[in-house]
Amino acid sequence: SEIKKSMELDEEFIVNRINKTRVYAPNGQFIEVDIDDVIVCRKKFDSYIARKAVNAGAQLFLSHRFAGYDAENNCLNFMYRDNENKKTMKKTPFDPEKDYLIGADGPNSFIRAFTNCKVKIVPAAQYKMRLEHENKDMLEFFADKHMTKHYAWNFPKKDHYNVGIIG
């Protein structure tokens, strides 16, 4: 997988190893592909990536709200609550020619809005389910226009499956 090529995998966040992917057509027929991949715990993986970024020199602003860019002073403005729960402004130097601002604040991102980046948000639902299933090392995708114009999935984790559908 691409992630395996670009970084060292840590057992801390790997929840399953995948050997196959199966894609089902509406008539129940499928194609199956052998793969060598992993499923990660998103929360642990995100924490791991954040630690690696900080160790490489990134600044991490938790519990801060992006409040804008001050072009005159080349700094980013963030709001946060101090120890006395008062709203406080924090300014941090930012050079748009060499620095990166990564907005990890969700689909209604203030940073995305600030940069005028347009995205199409498609609704999805996912559930954790305990299933009796023989293929604990296989990702499954279901394409059926009667069900959704996108796809549904079944991803095996350690002790459950993530079963979902997208818009």
Side-chain angles (χ1 to χ4, degrees), residues 58-130:
Q59 295 181 64
L60 184 63
F61 297 99
L62 299 174
S63 301
H64 285 62
R65 181 176 177 203
F66 179 68
Y69 174 63
D70 179 352
E72 189 174 307
N73 295 307
N74 274 344
C75 66
L76 298 173
N77 299 322
F78 295 95
M79 293 298 294
Y80 69 99
R81 293 199 177 269
D82 65 14
N83 293 338
E84 297 172 3
N85 204 27
K86 293 181 188 170
K87 280 189 175 180
T88 305
M89 177 71 76
K90 178 177 186 172
K91 295 179 177 281
T92 188
F94 183 78
D95 181 348
E97 296 296 319
K98 65 177 185 171
D99 293 331
Y100 293 93
L101 175 62
I102 299 171
D105 52 344
N108 295 318
S109 169
F110 289 106
I111 292 170
R112 180 184 51 78
F114 168 74
T115 60
N116 290 319
C117 179
K118 304 285 187 233
V119 296
K120 180 180 178 185
I121 297 174
V122 179
Q126 177 172 274
Y127 300 93
K128 291 181 179 181
M129 301 179 78
R130 295 196 190 282

Side-chain angles (χ1 to χ4, degrees), residues 7 45-61 100 102 104:
M7 67 184 299
F45 180 71
D46 288 354
S47 294
Y48 175 81
I49 293 293
R51 282 194 314 273
K52 285 186 75 72
V54 167
N55 290 342
Q59 295 181 64
L60 184 63
F61 297 99
Y100 293 93
I102 299 171

Side-chain angles (χ1 to χ4, degrees), residues 5 26 58 83 117 128-129 131-132 141 144 149 159:
K5 293 177 189 173
N83 293 338
C117 179
K128 291 181 179 181
M129 301 179 78
L131 301 172
E132 290 299 322
F141 295 90
D144 186 340
K149 64 182 180 180
D159 61 350

